Amino acid sequence: SQQGEEDPQALSIQEGENATMNCSYKTSINNLQWYRQNSGRGLVHLILIRSNEREKHSGRLRVTLDTSKKSSSLLITASRAADTASYFCATDAWSLRASGYSTLTFGKGTMLLVSP
Amino acid sequence: EAQVTQNPRYLITVTGKKLTVTCSQNMNHEYMSWYRQDPGLGLRQIYYSMNVEVTDKGDVPEGYKVSRKEKRNFPLILESPSPNQTSLYFCASSYGQSNEQYFGPGTRLTVT
C-alpha cells in the first residue's frame, strides 16, 4: 500500500513547546500534503510539498520531505492550545488501479494535545 | 464563501432503507470524492469523480453508489445500508486530484 503512516500516534506537549510529527510512505509520490482535523470536523489543508522540494514553511509550520527515505515531518513551533487536533499526511501517487490518474491516500493520523 | 456542504450532518437509519447523502461545492472544482473515517483505519476513499459523468471506485466502494450529473453536486447513495456502513463520511473537492482538498463538515451515519 502507498498509504502514509504517521508517527507518533499521539503526542502530548505543553503550550510553547514544539511538536514534531513524522510520516513514512512506501512508493514514489508526486506530492505530500498535511491536513488538520479538529474533533469530528472536516479536514483542513495545511501545506503541500512537491516531490522535488525538500522544505516548506507556512507561518509556524515547517514541513520537510526526504524522498530517499520516503518520509516527511511536520514541525509546529511555539504550539498553542488551539493546535490541539489530529494531523494527517496524505500522499499523492500514480494510481495502481487507473492508468493515468493519481490518487491521494491518507494515513491514520497523529493526535496532538497541547496543554495550557 | 467557498465551501463544501453536506446533508444531512447526522443520520440514524435502519438496515436496508435506502439513503442519499448530498454533497455540493461552490468552487467550480472538477474533482470530487467521498471518504469514510473509522477509528483506527483513518480516511479511506469510497468513490471519486474527475468531472461530470466521470466517476471511479476508490479503495472501499462496496455497498455505495455515486453520480455526477452536475459539476457542483456529488451525492453518495447507499441502496441497502448495513451496520458496517456506520461511519463518519466526508465529501471533498479540488481543482485536480493532486491538489489541496476542500472537505465538507462530515455526515455521521449510524445504521442499526
Side-chain angles (χ1 to χ4, degrees):
Chain A
S1 167
Q2 62 200 40
Q3 184 183 46
E5 284 189 19
E6 292 90 345
D7 171 65
Q9 287 188 337
L11 180 61
S12 181
I13 59 174
Q14 300 287 322
E15 259 190 334
E17 294 180 339
N18 295 341
T20 300
M21 288 158 269
N22 302 297
C23 173
S24 59
Y25 56 92
K26 295 180 180 175
T27 65
S28 295
I29 60 171
N30 301 317
N31 68 59
L32 186 145
Q33 303 175 31
W34 284 92
Y35 289 81
R36 185 182 79 188
Q37 182 183 34
N38 290 90
S39 181
R41 300 196 170 199
L43 279 72
V44 175
H45 182 265
L46 295 175
I47 201 163
L48 181 154
I49 187 166
R50 303 191 188 283
S51 60
N52 61 352
E53 296 175 311
R54 291 296 167 257
E55 188 170 313
K56 212 160 181 183
H57 297 255
S58 177
R60 293 184 295 112
L61 305 181
R62 173 180 168 248
V63 168
T64 61
L65 178 65
D66 187 334
T67 52
S68 66
K69 294 181 180 177
K70 292 186 170 58
S71 67
S72 173
S73 67
L74 170 67
L75 168 68
I76 303 174
T77 60
S79 62
R80 304 166 183 168
D83 294 327
T84 293
S86 291
Y87 292 82
F88 295 84
C89 70
T91 51
D92 178 72
W94 293 115
S95 173
L96 299 177
R97 286 194 311 272
S99 177
Y101 293 113
S102 66
T103 57
L104 192 65
T105 306
F106 286 81
K108 296 177 184 178
T110 291
M111 194 176 302
L112 173 66
L113 173 64
V114 182
S115 302
Chain B
E1 180 191 353
Q3 60 181 351
V4 179
T5 56
Q6 293 179 228
N7 282 292
R9 295 288 314 282
Y10 302 90
L11 179 59
I12 301 174
T13 189
V14 296
T15 299
K17 186 176 180 182
K18 180 179 178 181
L19 67 91
T20 299
V21 184
T22 63
C23 172
S24 183
Q25 50 93 6
N26 62 0
M27 294 167 279
N28 202 36
H29 286 163
E30 298 91 4
Y31 184 83
M32 297 184 75
S33 59
W34 277 101
Y35 295 88
R36 62 178 288 174
Q37 185 176 29
D38 303 288
L41 297 177
L43 270 84
R44 294 178 292 167
Q45 191 180 56
I46 303 170
Y47 267 95
Y48 65 93
S49 170
M50 302 295 288
N51 214 323
V52 176
E53 302 291 4
V54 182
T55 63
D56 203 357
K57 297 175 181 178
D59 296 314
V60 288
E62 295 76 22
Y64 304 94
K65 283 175 58 177
V66 293
S67 68
R68 188 92 182 273
K69 296 190 171 83
E70 305 165 285
K71 199 170 188 179
R72 63 183 292 128
N73 296 323
F74 189 44
L76 179 70
I77 304 155
L78 284 72
E79 294 269 5
S80 183
S82 62
N84 65 12
Q85 292 178 299
T86 292
S87 187
L88 181 57
Y89 291 87
F90 290 102
C91 179
S93 72
S94 66
Y95 280 114
Q97 73 270 29
S98 297
N99 297 329
E100 170 187 354
Q101 302 288 309
Y102 290 79
F103 279 81
T107 295
R108 189 168 290 280
L109 171 66
T110 301
V111 183
T112 61

